[in-house]
Amino acid sequence: MKPIPGDAPDMDVVGVDAVAAGLAAEYAAAVAAIAAAEAQAMSVLARAQAVGLERVAEIPRSAGREAELPLRALAAELGACARQPDRSVQRRMNDAHTLVNRFAATWDALAAGVVSVGHVRAIVEHGVKLTDPEVRAAFETEALERAASTTPGRLGP
């Protein structure tokens, strides 16, 4: 008797599904590890920004353009070690400082591998405009809930 299509699973398809499931699990673990590494790098950059801001605060206000030199020097040092442009590192230092200090739950989710850098960008881009810390925290909580089930591109709108 010939089997009716759709009556029973084809053993080859089941094997392919098992392979795909295994690959998907490996990929998900790798993506989570990348997110955790990004969070670690952002932590370093945020600390560098904080150190730079402390050093800037020690400079007399009359120093003019020289006041930004501590931040630029730290960015240049980090950039040289990572073979990245100092201006890019300086921008990332500022972004990381904002993330760690104003969006701590989002940073925690990134460190845990729950969200990606793309999710983080969307949350910070839309949430940074909120000046009331309580409103921003409520926004962040809802955004993280949505991020768990959607792509960064769909999270923004």
Side-chain angles (χ1 to χ4, degrees), residues 44-58:
V44 172
L45 292 169
R47 290 194 326 262
Q49 179 78 0
V51 168
L53 291 173
E54 287 172 7
R55 291 177 180 175
V56 166
E58 295 170 359

Side-chain angles (χ1 to χ4, degrees), residues 29-51:
V31 168
I34 290 168
E38 283 285 345
Q40 183 181 8
M42 287 182 189
S43 177
V44 172
L45 292 169
R47 290 194 326 262
Q49 179 78 0
V51 168

